[in-house]
Amino acid sequence: KEAHALCTSAVELEPMEAAHYANRSVACLRMTSKGTGTGGGSPSNKAKTMWSEDGTKLVPAPDDTDATAEMSKDGTEWLVLAVNDAQRAVELKPEWPKGHFRLGTALDAKGEYALALAALNKAAELEASSLGKVSNIVQQALTKAQSKLTKAQIKAKQAAHAAEEEAVAAAEAEAEEAEGSRRAAEAEAAQAVAEADAKAMAKAEAVLAAEREAKQKMEAEEAAKAAEEEEAKRATAVADAAAMAKAKATLEAEKAAIEEKDALAVKQKAEMEAMAAAVREADEHLSAAKARKAREDQRRKEAEDKAREQERIAAAARVMDMAADGSFDISDGDVTEGPVLLPVKGDEPNTAAAVQNEEVAKPPPAPVTSTFATARRPEETVPAIQQLLRTAAKLQTRDALSEEMLNAAFDGLSTKMQYTARTLLMSAVKHADDNTGELPKKVVDNMNKYVQQISAQDASASRTQANRSTAPPPRPRAAGAAAASGSTVSGEGSGSHAPDFSTGTKGGTGDSPVNAIDMTVEHEVCVSCEGLREAVETSSEGAIVASSGKSKGGKKGGKKKNKEASNAKKQLTKAVDKRYAEVADGVASALNSLGCAVCDAFLAPETITGVRDEIRTLERHYKASEIWVGKDSDIGAQITVPRVRGDKVLWVNDLSIQQSSMTHTQTMLASIDRLVFRELGSRVQRLRHLSERTDPMLAIYPGGGSRFQKHIDNTARDGRRLTVLCYLNPEYTPADGGALRVLECGSPEDGGMTALDVAPVAGRLAMFYADEMPHEVRPAHGMRHAMTVWYYDKNEREEAIAKAPPAPKEEDQAHMRSRQEARAFLLWILAHESEPTQEAVDSIVERAKKMSEHAVKIVAGITGAPSIEEFMNALDLMTPASLAKLRSDLDEMGINN
């Protein structure tokens, strides 16, 4: 009885698990006389027995106890339940031998031996195909079932023979009885005929009398009917005259209405023509305004370009002036923030004044056309300047360096580097040798340092601009309630694993500029696991050697070898434990100081490849992630919003993994569990009470910029304390993107918080506090695979379970249906790819009027309407243009089909 109750609980928890139904089938058999030998739980059994306190057997009951109260079903009902559970197990798992075996034993107990034999044969067939042999218990059951079937067939034949003999005897007796009955019936029939003849005569006389009476009655009715018809004719004539008068009045009224309607139509046509003219005029004004704005933008751009060019010319002039009076020099000192400013030494043979005097004395040279190798990288800037100076020295004048030559030398550089190159050229002129144009080595070194600094600043500015350009545009506040103040967007439909998006220091969209640090193996958050997997592999090999080294020979030699093997195994185990402890020390230090940690090379490449091969067959079951969009937990809908979260996920039952052939996945989970449960719990204060973890969640980001915006995993205090991700991307390159960005690492007391970018490299673990650390997945441009598990804090998990709401009531189920209805309505609106028409608007309005009140309230909240009434009023006024605007607003929110 207790086993039946426990199995029933297991079925309720996991209704798709075949083993629970098979086990409950066995429990049902035990409740019958064929299962326990106690006569089952038949209500007709009035024996004074009851279940013992431990629920394991039936014992005599006191006189005032009715044993039938302990059982609610008789033996036959328990057998039917046993057969039903066994059949359910076979339906859920058709290729499971044990399910067919349970079905065979239940049918056998019920007495259906032929069906039982077929089920047992199927179990034997499945065992033979999977194990290569048939187990003894199945073979024995087959033998017993065959024997029972044979006996049942013999009994059936004997019963049929006995029934046949009884039928013959009964037929003979019935024949004799029928003969006697026939004679009596003949006598009774003769008497009945005589009586019938007498009755018929009397009846005939009564009929004649009735016919005469009916004829008289009919004549009287015909006379009355003729009088009524005459009266009806007179009444009809009066009614027809009245109807004609009424019809004439109706026609006149309809004619007047048509004339009035025609007048109204003429008026409406005139109003529509006036409105169309107004719209055309407004469009013309708008086009003119756009044209004016375009011209103004063009003039403003030209003015800005002209101002920048003037500023560049003025800056060049200032540098020339500085070069002329010697206040700008790069001949000495360490370059830090720009060229070193030193006074020109009075005894230098080639001062700026001397160069100018020399240039004035010389006639202008003929234009020179030279071919220069364009500097395309910052490090080529100084060599290009040196080449220009050599050309100037060769031509004996700076005027030979035309604008075309400067463009040829510097056009391959960025705008900022071109300006830097021209500035350095002007400053370098006075340091070049008059005859060769060569620059001193110290000047060249200082110029190279300055170019490196400017190049670094230029690259940093370019990265910042690129990050801003790839960020999605902000949501307009007018788009709907999800973009309005106070709206919430939460994650996965499963409440226990739903991340939360919030505002403030721990929330936002994740698109605000941050100074993220690219995580490298030298960073303090990263712990190298090199040597860990080698130690584990060595330990495994050593264990095999130790196992094979056990001797089966003489006692003395065997004991010695066994002891040596045992010692070797202990040493290898210590090595593995030591390496795990070293890795755990580094991880604990990072978690305690920064709130996150990275384990590099935690898994071997062959393990990652094996995991990918094992989960490849599951990829068709992945589903697009959904998030909650709405004002609160009651007003909103579960919708796929790729702009917020663009991955596809699959939750895999941990027990199924352990019972399957996914050996590499088992190794991965076991390694992570060992590091977290055995090592980190004793080193990290916040992880001291870890008790269990979730099933693993497999996730794929399909590329194309798919991402997961900034969020915190656990804001509902559901017990999740630590998030651990393992990346499964053997072919990852930096161009694939998809880095995990963990924000607010560290604390203000320790010198400020920063963001950390972790590339999803194969075999790498990333972990952080699930209830504290905001994080996001940056846009992925290639396929990105990962596995995530969450570890529960025991105390917080127990509190969350205790505070969990009760089972859904009928009202809650109605709300859930309303959410589904609202979600379907929104997706239906977005499903139309053609241009909106008035017909589409009318169909939307009609569908909205048929929705439940709560569903309309949800849609109103998502689209930004303050109330149901205003939403319905807006629908009544909707036009194709406003429908297009609504679709655009929803798309801006990231809600699309």
Side-chain angles (χ1 to χ4, degrees), residues 208-382:
L208 289 174
E211 288 179 351
R212 287 193 296 269
E213 184 179 355
K215 184 177 180 181
Q216 294 172 356
K217 185 177 181 180
M218 184 181 299
E219 291 173 350
E221 289 177 353
E222 287 178 352
K225 185 177 180 181
E228 289 178 358
E229 289 177 353
E230 186 65 26
E231 183 65 27
K233 287 179 180 179
R234 288 195 298 268
T236 301
V238 174
D240 288 344
M244 287 294 291
K246 185 177 180 180
K248 185 177 180 181
T250 302
L251 287 173
E252 291 176 354
E254 289 179 352
K255 183 179 179 181
I258 291 173
E259 291 175 352
E260 183 180 356
K261 186 176 180 181
D262 289 342
L264 181 62
V266 171
K267 181 180 179 182
Q268 289 178 344
K269 183 178 179 181
E271 291 176 351
M272 290 180 65
E273 290 176 352
M275 185 181 298
V279 170
R280 286 194 298 271
E281 184 179 357
D283 288 341
E284 292 172 357
H285 284 302
L286 181 60
S287 300
K290 288 182 177 179
R292 287 196 300 274
K293 186 176 184 303
R295 289 193 297 271
E296 291 173 359
D297 291 343
Q298 181 64 26
R299 285 196 296 270
R300 184 165 50 253
K301 184 176 182 301
E302 292 174 354
E304 291 174 353
D305 292 342
K306 184 176 181 180
R308 282 195 295 270
E309 180 63 19
Q310 291 176 350
E311 175 62 23
R312 189 186 69 79
I313 294 172
R318 288 195 298 272
V319 173
M320 286 293 292
D321 293 340
M322 293 168 66
D325 62 14
S327 61
F328 184 61
D329 199 351
I330 51 174
S331 62
D332 198 3
D334 293 328
V335 177
T336 55
E337 297 181 356
V340 179
L341 301 179
L342 293 176
V344 178
K345 299 178 181 179
D347 55 351
E348 282 188 351
N350 187 19
T351 62
V355 172
Q356 288 178 348
N357 293 333
E358 184 179 357
E359 290 174 353
V360 171
K362 292 181 179 180
V368 178
T369 57
S370 299
T371 302
F372 289 91
T374 302
R376 302 187 181 278
R377 298 191 301 274
E379 57 267 24
E380 297 174 352
T381 303
V382 176

Side-chain angles (χ1 to χ4, degrees), residues 23-34:
N23 292 336
R24 191 167 70 175
S25 175
V26 178
C28 290
L29 286 180
R30 296 291 192 273
M31 297 294 285
T32 66
S33 59
K34 298 183 180 182

